[in-house]
Amino acid sequence: MKQTDFLVIGSGIAGLTYALKVANQFPDKKVLVMTKAAADETNTKYAQGGIAVVNDMENDSFEKHIDDTLIAGDGLCNEKVVEIVVKEGPERVKEIIEWGARFDKEKDGDYKLGREGGHSEFRILHHKDVTGREMERVLIDAVAKQTNIEFIKHCFVVDIITQHHLGYLVTKATPDIECYGVYVLNLETNKIEKILSRITLLASGGNGQVYRTTTNPSIATGDGVAMLYRAKGRIENMEFIQFHPTALYEAGMRGQAFLITEAVRGDGGILRNKNGEAFMEKYDPRKDLAPRDIVARAIDSEMKRTGTEHVWLDCRHFGKEKFVEHFPNIYEKCLSVGIDIAKHMIPVAPAAHYSCGGIKTDEWGRSSINNLYVCGECASTGLHGANRLASNSLLEAMVFAHRCYLDSVEWLSKNNGSADARSSLAKLIPDWKAEGTTEPKEMILITQSLKELQQVMSDYVGIVRNDIRLQRALRRLDLLWEETEHLYQTSSLSPQLLELRNMITVGYLIVKGAAFRKESRGLHYNTDYPGKSPLVQNIVL
Ligand SMILES: Cc1cc2nc3c(=O)[nH]c(=O)nc-3n(C[C@H](O)[C@H](O)[C@H](O)COP(=O)(O)OP(=O)(O)OC[C@H]3O[C@@H](n4cnc5c(N)ncnc54)[C@H](O)[C@@H]3O)c2cc1C
């Protein structure tokens, strides 16, 4: 058993930013960062386009960024949170620049500002087309220098410890559910360990792997959301899954697909259908720079209409030099699969990209469970509402990591005496019970269920939904749930089984949210209810 002052689950931008801040503020306290994979294997590392922030006060303003965010969010943003994120953003970006992040500059030394769908101004800071990799690099370097941070990799957090583990009945109605720490599966020893913490921050990222194709890496299995749901915390607006319109299409696509950032369309890339027609003007006056949900639905509709598995992104008019200067990584990737962007169009199709809903938090990142902060993609802070404005998520993660840190400082100043009470409590928290379980006999039971889940979610709960598809999805998820629960109760635990179990829970929450929402709003489009309901509500499960 380990005990720590701060436990941080996740080593993406949200987790590492928070860890650095608390470690720096409290040099005498222990900060434990855990990740189930390698240190930098995160959604953060794959972010390409950049970070949206108001820089150019002459042409841009906070009001414009706020308006763009609210328009994308389609009536469901929390306006106070939008204002907080937009106005506190520049300070947080300044901080990461001071820590060493390099954003591209013009020859005169001003930052090069990009523009993406839904933004009325040029305001995206970026590092070539690998912005996330640059930010993750800076954060990992800074964490390595902080002597009071212990960074444990390849440790899978299984469950949040609450009063339930002390034998009390805990339900959604229980007031003051407490987080005491977590159970983790140490992937090196294959043993389940107990970790107790005074404050826990959950920053476990997104859940794109629930779908057949996604821009997210394999870690994005929604573990944090599933854990919190099991611990009887509040989850909100899970139906709002953003599909990125332009993932690189490769035959037989499954799992992580390479993203072609929206910034390519921002720089003039044109979507064309099978017949070479630039089709976006049929769907929206903003054409290729319409918000992502509109572009993704337009592509979906063109693919269905023309019977193809992808459309084309035409960048041939850029010229090689201009393209390579801004998008070297995309250029190389395309070349590696035989596409020379100067001569060929790029085949693209939509893929699951970002989860706008998640664990409900207040404006300080507090979840409905005491001592448990949540930030980054697994949180639902109210910023994105029904649809995320491009490049707002890295910003949100940094602003909320800071707010969680500020609130943690205050919490500690009020609860300084509670450490002893926790140590005596630690003795009461039972070890994980693994008796009676055996090695799963066949991995196919897990891998096939995962394929089924991803197929069901993509076919019935994708870009366009309707009631019959949602009911079918629910019935199939019920069966998968039953079979997987049986495996879970009888098998020794493996990351594959734990992830499958979590993904089925996340799939269920997405379908439930979608079924409750009797309207089409933002990213949720149901052909049985094509209009918006006058009842503007968040769906909390
Ligand atoms: C291809 C791509 C491009 C993107 N481009 C942009 C962009 O240009 N601008 C923008 O703003 N956003 C972009 N995004 C979104 C943005 O990158 C993410 O929303 C953000 O990085 C999430 O950060 P995070 O810290 O919340 O989670 P992540 O960076 O995903 O980190 C999650 C961490 O949690 C760990 N973890 C998860 N489950 C467990 C568990 N059970 N036990 C232990 N550890 C666990 C993971 O191993 C990982 O370390 C993009 C995303 C993708 C995938």
Side-chain angles (χ1 to χ4, degrees), residues 145-334:
K145 289 186 196 126
Q146 200 76 39
T147 50
N148 55 337
I149 297 183
E150 186 185 359
F151 195 164
I152 305 186
K153 293 129 212 162
H154 304 291
C155 234
F156 194 112
V157 178
V158 178
D159 262 324
I160 295 161
I161 303 174
T162 67
Q163 292 96 322
H164 165 78
H165 299 93
L166 296 171
Y168 293 97
L169 175 70
V170 176
T171 69
K172 288 261 176 214
T174 305
D176 289 328
I177 304 176
E178 298 270 327
C179 169
Y180 301 123
V182 294
Y183 288 113
V184 302
L185 172 63
N186 182 328
L187 300 178
E188 270 153 25
T189 61
N190 252 356
K191 295 258 178 325
I192 303 256
E193 295 165 11
K194 198 166 59 180
I195 302 204
L196 300 184
S197 56
R198 298 187 73 198
I199 295 183
T200 302
L201 176 98
L202 187 56
S204 53
N207 56 35
Q209 290 288 332
V210 167
Y211 287 88
R212 195 175 47 225
T213 49
T214 172
T215 61
N216 295 187
S218 61
I219 54 105
T221 52
D223 300 346
V225 168
M227 271 186 258
L228 202 108
Y229 185 68
R230 283 196 291 274
K232 311 295 178 201
R234 302 270 165 208
I235 312 288
E236 138 181 292
N237 290 347
M238 288 296 290
E239 62 280 17
F240 296 122
I241 299 292
Q242 185 169 73
F243 287 81
H244 199 289
T246 55
L248 177 65
Y249 172 82
E250 293 177 87
M253 270 166 109
R254 179 177 284 283
Q256 187 179 4
F258 183 80
L259 176 78
I260 309 289
T261 173
E262 199 158 319
V264 173
R265 279 176 286 127
D267 276 11
I270 298 167
L271 287 164
R272 298 188 185 278
N273 63 17
K274 179 186 169 188
N275 307 318
E277 291 153 4
F279 57 83
M280 274 312 299
E281 60 196 41
K282 276 193 314 203
Y283 294 90
D284 194 280
R286 288 163 289 186
K287 298 185 197 164
D288 298 273
L289 279 182
R292 280 182 190 173
D293 56 320
I294 295 174
V295 181
R297 273 201 298 278
I299 294 177
D300 189 62
S301 150
E302 287 295 311
M303 279 164 42
K304 290 200 167 107
R305 196 177 64 76
T306 58
T308 50
E309 290 192 352
H310 64 82
V311 293
W312 300 103
L313 181 61
D314 189 357
C315 306
R316 291 172 297 181
H317 51 289
F318 280 42
K320 181 180 158 191
E321 208 172 301
K322 180 180 162 205
F323 193 92
V324 173
E325 194 200 336
H326 192 167
F327 308 111
N329 191 37
I330 297 176
Y331 179 78
E332 285 303 325
K333 172 68 191 180
C334 287

Side-chain angles (χ1 to χ4, degrees), residues 9-15 34-39 41-52 116 124 131 136 155-158 203-206 215-217 219-221 223-224 227 256-257 259 261 292 353-354 375-378 388 390-395 397 502:
I9 304 165
S11 58
I13 188 167
M34 297 201 126
T35 169
K36 65 178 173 177
E41 191 51 5
T42 59
N43 270 7
T44 302
K45 181 172 88 171
Y46 293 91
Q48 292 185 350
I51 179 160
E116 294 182 89
I124 320 279
T131 310
E136 186 71 14
C155 234
F156 194 112
V157 178
V158 178
S204 53
T215 61
N216 295 187
I219 54 105
T221 52
D223 300 346
M227 271 186 258
Q256 187 179 4
L259 176 78
T261 173
R292 280 182 190 173
H353 183 57
Y354 185 82
C375 85
E377 189 165 339
C378 65
R388 173 188 73 131
S391 287
N392 261 357
S393 39
L394 293 171
L395 187 72
N502 288 336

Side-chain angles (χ1 to χ4, degrees), residues 97-168:
I97 291 173
E98 281 163 11
W99 294 344
R102 298 159 300 172
F103 295 115
D104 292 353
K105 289 188 173 170
E106 304 284 0
K107 287 202 179 77
D108 63 6
D110 284 349
Y111 284 110
K112 260 190 191 160
L113 302 178
R115 185 169 163 201
E116 294 182 89
H119 286 275
S120 56
E121 293 296 340
F122 285 79
R123 62 168 77 97
I124 320 279
L125 289 179
H126 53 90
H127 177 89
K128 305 199 185 323
D129 54 353
V130 286
T131 310
R133 196 196 291 171
E134 171 68 2
M135 297 175 97
E136 186 71 14
R137 175 194 69 78
V138 166
L139 292 167
I140 287 184
D141 284 356
V143 162
K145 289 186 196 126
Q146 200 76 39
T147 50
N148 55 337
I149 297 183
E150 186 185 359
F151 195 164
I152 305 186
K153 293 129 212 162
H154 304 291
C155 234
F156 194 112
V157 178
V158 178
D159 262 324
I160 295 161
I161 303 174
T162 67
Q163 292 96 322
H164 165 78
H165 299 93
L166 296 171
Y168 293 97

